[in-house]
Amino acid sequence: MHQHRTDPSRLTALLSLDDVDHLLTSTALRTPAIRVARDGSVLAESAYTRRGATLAGRPLTGLVDARRALELFEQGGTIVLQGLHRYWQPLTDLVAELEAELGHPCQANAYLTPPGSQGFAVHSDGHDVFVFQTHGTKLWEVHGEDGAESVLLEPGLSMYLPTGTPHAARTQDTASLHVTIGINQRTWKGLVQRTLRQVVDAVDDGHLPAGYPDEPDLLTEGLADRLQALADAVRAVDVPAAARAESERFLTERPTRQRGGLKDVLAVRTLSDDSLLRRRPGHPCVLVDDGDRVRVLLGDRQLAVPGWLRPALERVRADPTLRPGDLPLDEQSRLVLCRRLVREGLLEVVG
């Protein structure tokens, strides 16, 4: 466990009690974006969702009934908002930047607990977590090698719990709102499996010989030959290429994050050398040489562009804000490039 203290306003700005009120009562939240837990058990969705809701004449399932959810909250239920990184922009940006820094997929959940209540019993998570409080306080019981330790989480205080750390938390006199950032680590085992998938798939799919249950030796020679071929293929794996492929896989499979994209699509038509552009937070821009081309890894996709654009792309990588006129290209080329990067979501139009 590790604790860190910062300006409370930096954390409360990410998700306030008013923000949760808005999401719960003024938007059309649907399961599984929300669940409710009480006394260590997760309640059935039917306890806080509506039946008979429709949209454009079609059934709308899992729609949250805010009144029923609030009643459960009053009765001691913890409201869990799941996957907030997918629809709450401050946490979307935070998660995007964290993923770019760590190289591991991340997620954000929030837990709203009424006074004097506990949503979950002592448990541990299968991934690392960062926890920070944005409203009220919550008393945590964190188990380590030296026994249980009490931590009073309050706005401004964040806590890191490694994978498998047993913990539980309970509110006292006030309602509590905290956010948990989960780090879904990629592992060496997963990397090895992805690297060897093609090698294993290359093993022939021929049938085993008849009678082997009674005579296992019938399998010996064929299995030995295939394992030898497999070992030779493993030794021949291009390890640097496999490492690059893993990196590129991460840099092209992130969720699309393009807030303000509609405004940009309209503004890009009148883009000029003096237009102010800004890199979107948390968006990678990694350049990979590929013959006479350069591949630009953007997080959720990649672009292939002529190699002579690399100096201009290096400038885009280096500067958080820039104007098309800053790029070392002729006017037409730099405007075409900037329009493309705006449409692809790497840059946004500031003014």
Side-chain angles (χ1 to χ4, degrees), residues 199-228:
V199 173
V200 175
D201 287 347
V203 177
D204 70 272
D205 206 21
H207 297 173
L208 299 182
Y212 78 86
D214 291 328
E215 298 183 59
D217 289 345
L218 292 173
L219 300 177
T220 301
E221 183 178 353
L223 181 58
D225 290 344
R226 286 164 177 80
L227 289 178
Q228 181 61 54

Side-chain angles (χ1 to χ4, degrees), residues 248 251-254 256-258 283-284 296-303 343-345:
E248 292 185 17
L251 291 170
T252 55
E253 294 181 353
R254 313 313 320 130
T256 297
R257 301 178 175 108
Q258 203 164 342
H283 276 246
V296 189
L297 311 183
L298 299 175
D300 64 337
R301 72 194 79 183
Q302 62 177 303
L303 306 178
R343 290 189 175 103
E344 296 292 345

Side-chain angles (χ1 to χ4, degrees), residues 31 43-51 62-65 68-69 72:
T31 57
L43 304 184
E45 292 181 0
S46 58
Y48 52 90
T49 56
R50 293 176 53 190
R51 294 181 180 178
L63 186 65
V64 172
D65 186 325
R68 298 175 71 188
L72 291 173

Side-chain angles (χ1 to χ4, degrees), residues 15-328:
L15 185 73
S16 69
L17 192 64
D18 286 342
D19 295 332
V20 172
D21 187 297
H22 167 73
L23 288 170
L24 188 61
T25 65
S26 302
T27 67
L29 275 182
R30 298 173 63 184
T31 57
I34 183 174
R35 58 180 172 149
V36 179
R38 185 172 58 197
D39 297 329
S41 299
V42 177
L43 304 184
E45 292 181 0
S46 58
Y48 52 90
T49 56
R50 293 176 53 190
R51 294 181 180 178
T54 61
L55 180 64
R58 300 180 62 179
L60 195 62
T61 59
L63 186 65
V64 172
D65 186 325
R67 187 180 302 279
R68 298 175 71 188
L70 290 174
E71 288 175 354
L72 291 173
F73 176 74
E74 277 195 297
Q75 296 165 10
T78 290
I79 295 175
V80 185
L81 298 177
Q82 303 188 122
L84 278 161
H85 58 289
R86 297 189 181 278
Y87 59 91
W88 188 250
Q89 196 62 47
L91 292 175
T92 298
D93 292 343
L94 175 65
V95 164
E97 294 184 33
L98 194 58
E99 286 185 340
E101 185 70 23
L102 298 178
H104 295 284
C106 302
Q107 64 185 43
N109 294 344
Y111 298 78
L112 176 65
T113 305
S117 300
Q118 179 174 323
F120 298 92
V122 174
H123 66 284
S124 59
D125 297 313
H127 51 260
D128 292 4
V129 297
F130 293 100
V131 183
F132 58 87
Q133 194 80 15
T134 68
H135 179 85
T137 62
K138 203 166 194 180
L139 185 62
W140 286 66
E141 175 189 320
V142 182
H143 294 257
E145 293 181 357
D146 299 325
E149 180 179 349
S150 295
V151 178
L152 184 64
L153 213 59
E154 59 187 6
L157 182 63
S158 58
M159 179 170 57
Y160 164 72
L161 300 179
T163 301
T165 302
H167 61 276
R170 171 176 284 278
T171 56
Q172 296 173 303
D173 298 330
T174 63
S176 163
L177 175 63
H178 79 266
V179 175
T180 295
I181 305 295
I183 316 299
N184 300 309
Q185 299 96 331
R186 292 190 168 184
T187 65
W188 285 110
K189 180 179 180 180
L191 174 56
V192 170
Q193 288 175 332
R194 288 187 289 275
T195 301
L196 297 183
R197 186 173 295 134
Q198 289 185 332
V199 173
V200 175
D201 287 347
V203 177
D204 70 272
D205 206 21
H207 297 173
L208 299 182
Y212 78 86
D214 291 328
E215 298 183 59
D217 289 345
L218 292 173
L219 300 177
T220 301
E221 183 178 353
L223 181 58
D225 290 344
R226 286 164 177 80
L227 289 178
Q228 181 61 54
L230 187 63
D232 293 340
V234 170
R235 281 191 289 269
V237 167
D238 186 337
V239 175
R244 290 192 297 271
E246 180 71 7
S247 175
E248 292 185 17
R249 186 179 297 112
F250 184 82
L251 291 170
T252 55
E253 294 181 353
R254 313 313 320 130
T256 297
R257 301 178 175 108
Q258 203 164 342
R259 178 182 59 173
L262 175 59
K263 178 197 70 175
D264 289 337
V265 166
L266 297 173
V268 77
R269 301 181 182 186
T270 57
L271 204 67
S272 71
D273 265 354
D274 296 325
S275 300
L276 183 61
L277 306 175
R278 177 172 57 205
R279 282 273 305 279
R280 291 183 183 275
H283 276 246
C285 178
V286 176
L287 308 181
V288 178
D289 292 320
D290 189 3
D292 62 352
R293 309 280 285 177
V294 172
R295 289 185 293 116
V296 189
L297 311 183
L298 299 175
D300 64 337
R301 72 194 79 183
Q302 62 177 303
L303 306 178
V305 300
W308 54 267
L309 288 175
R310 177 179 257 283
L313 290 167
E314 291 283 7
R315 183 67 182 269
V316 171
R317 275 173 48 86
D319 295 343
T321 60
L322 56 87
R323 301 180 191 276
D326 297 333
L327 301 183

